[in-house]
Amino acid sequence: MKVLVIGGGAREHALCRSLSLDPDVTALHCAPGNAGIAEVAELHPVDQLDGEAVTRLATELGAELVVVGPEAPLVAGVADAVRAAGIPVFGPSREAAQLEGSKAFAKDVMAGAGVPTARSYVCTTPEEIDEALDAFGAPYVVKDDGLAAGKGVVVTEDLDKARAHALACERVVIEEFLDGPEVSLFAITDGVTVLPLRPAQDFKRALDGDEGPNTGGMGAYSPLPWADPKLVDEVMDSVLQPTVDELRRRGTPFSGLLYAGLAITSRGVRVIEFNARFGDPETQVVLARLKTPLAGVLLNSANGTLDDQAPLSWSDEAAVTVVVASHNYPDTPRTGDPIEGLDEVAEQDAPHAYVLHAGTKRDGDAIVSAGGRVLSVTATGTDLAQARERAYAAVGRIRLDGSQHRTDIARKAAEA
């Protein structure tokens, strides 16, 4: 099978790494990719938001499966363009991707499906914003209705900060605060059949102890030793299957990766948000544990034949990912700094630990930083403690001037 992956972050590197290990994949391409993906796939320059350009590239390459990684191309309708050309594509239509592209649309779908979520108001005027903030009180949860690359959500005790964020959004969702730990659960679906993956937990705040501003994610781990063993079955029954059924009922079937961000509250499981694609950095740990070859599963989703898919096989090992970010991230990051130590990780830590590239590019013989989140250092082990130890040992070999990373990823879970 010839596969083309669209995107250029650590999520796409994780996908390309898994696909490169699949014996059924005979040729692997990525557009636009990054310096790390270039080691496992052939790179092609493309505007990933241009459906015609992506379709043209897929046709030229003779791609038999296109995997759209990021949310922006999905919301822009890239999967529709590829699908219209008769090429199997893993990823939802523009209409179905509104599940992530619009928080208000997602709330409406959840209401129709009877999915448990936070009570909320959709606001477009200062008066509506003030009423909603007053109704819920602190801590305030304010979400930009559109795509914001993981940084459109503000959770704060500060009314002025909450109001300022709300006023800066064209359309905003203000909702009640959900207590309890958060869990990410991915499911692959063809619009009818839903195949859940293993749950993971990510760390959104920039600093240790969940301090600092929200980011796109600073690390993740799987499995969750503290979670109820029945959690996946419960979320399948109350969240994932009803959502897929509701979207199909509306005439907007969802095919691809449905990501449920969940809060395990004192009143039960509640959906915080949906995403329409693999999450980053949770993908890095979930795929590290998946033993079933990936390409066939994604193709079954694209072709509507997921019902034929054999049960997925999983490693009993644990996985931990630590994100190495640029100086000043999540504000405007510094880029262009050389990254050293990657060869040392490959020589000394493989196969238990490896580096997935996010914001990197090649500059002559050097690999340099090219974004806010630069690397995802991922490691596996017999338990979370060993996986953590291996991940941080590998992080310690990497040299990137001014870089930052959290030191407490999976610590509590490993010590529990």
Side-chain angles (χ1 to χ4, degrees), residues 36-363:
I37 294 173
E39 295 173 17
V40 294
E42 186 179 338
L43 302 191
H44 304 270
V46 77
D47 177 355
Q48 59 184 15
L49 299 180
D50 185 338
E52 283 185 24
V54 171
T55 303
R56 195 160 50 244
L57 176 62
T59 304
E60 287 168 7
L61 295 173
E64 293 153 293
L65 173 65
V66 175
V67 179
V68 184
E71 60 274 24
L74 292 168
V75 172
V78 168
D80 304 77
V82 176
R83 208 173 268 120
I87 302 168
V89 58
F90 180 79
S93 66
R94 181 205 306 258
E95 218 172 334
Q98 284 303 306
L99 203 60
E100 175 168 6
S102 167
K103 302 286 190 297
F105 176 79
K107 287 289 188 184
D108 191 53
V109 169
M110 284 188 264
V115 167
T117 187
R119 292 179 299 121
S120 64
Y121 294 105
V122 179
C123 308
T124 54
T125 68
E127 293 75 23
E128 289 173 348
I129 287 166
D130 289 340
E131 282 178 26
L133 292 172
D134 184 55
F136 289 129
Y140 304 101
V141 181
V142 184
K143 299 181 176 183
D144 191 333
D145 183 47
L147 290 182
K151 297 188 276 291
V153 179
V154 164
V155 181
T156 180
E157 298 277 348
D158 186 327
L159 177 59
D160 291 337
K161 195 178 284 186
R163 190 169 189 274
H165 181 66
L167 290 169
C169 303
E170 208 170 298
R171 192 174 187 223
V172 68
V173 174
I174 296 172
E175 62 184 38
E176 67 174 328
F177 177 76
L178 296 174
D179 63 329
E182 294 184 14
V183 173
S184 300
L185 183 61
F186 302 163
I188 292 171
T189 178
D190 58 5
V192 178
T193 301
V194 180
L195 192 66
L197 305 185
R198 290 291 161 91
Q201 185 173 58
D202 79 330
F203 294 76
K204 286 285 184 219
R205 298 286 184 175
L207 307 175
D208 283 9
D210 290 328
E211 299 289 330
N214 246 2
T215 71
M218 295 298 290
Y221 70 93
S222 178
L224 313 181
W226 50 268
D228 187 327
K230 300 191 292 291
L231 176 65
V232 173
D233 290 340
E234 182 188 337
V235 175
M236 264 293 288
D237 292 344
S238 66
V239 175
L240 298 170
Q241 192 70 56
T243 300
V244 169
D245 292 345
E246 173 67 12
L247 284 164
R248 190 175 68 253
R249 188 188 67 76
R250 290 171 175 233
T252 55
F254 188 104
S255 164
L257 195 290
L258 178 59
Y259 164 143
L262 309 164
I264 314 301
T265 77
S266 52
R267 292 171 295 139
V269 174
R270 298 287 185 274
V271 174
I272 300 168
E273 64 175 357
F274 284 123
N275 289 336
R277 39 72 196 182
F278 279 103
D280 182 346
E282 300 98 319
T283 302
Q284 290 86 304
V285 291
V286 172
L287 291 186
R289 300 185 60 219
L290 179 65
K291 290 167 70 175
T292 301
L294 184 62
V297 186
L298 303 187
L299 186 64
N300 277 331
S301 164
N303 285 338
T305 53
L306 208 51
D307 199 33
D308 299 336
Q309 175 67 44
L312 299 179
S313 175
W314 295 92
S315 165
D316 290 331
E317 288 200 315
V320 171
T321 285
V322 179
V323 170
V324 177
S326 291
H327 174 74
N328 205 39
Y329 178 76
D331 291 326
T332 306
R334 193 173 82 204
T335 59
D337 289 310
I339 303 164
E340 298 175 336
L342 298 173
D343 291 343
E344 292 167 39
V345 175
E347 288 163 13
Q348 299 180 50
D349 300 289
H352 302 298
Y354 48 89
V355 179
L356 298 168
H357 292 230
T360 70
K361 68 177 183 181
R362 189 165 280 285
D363 183 9

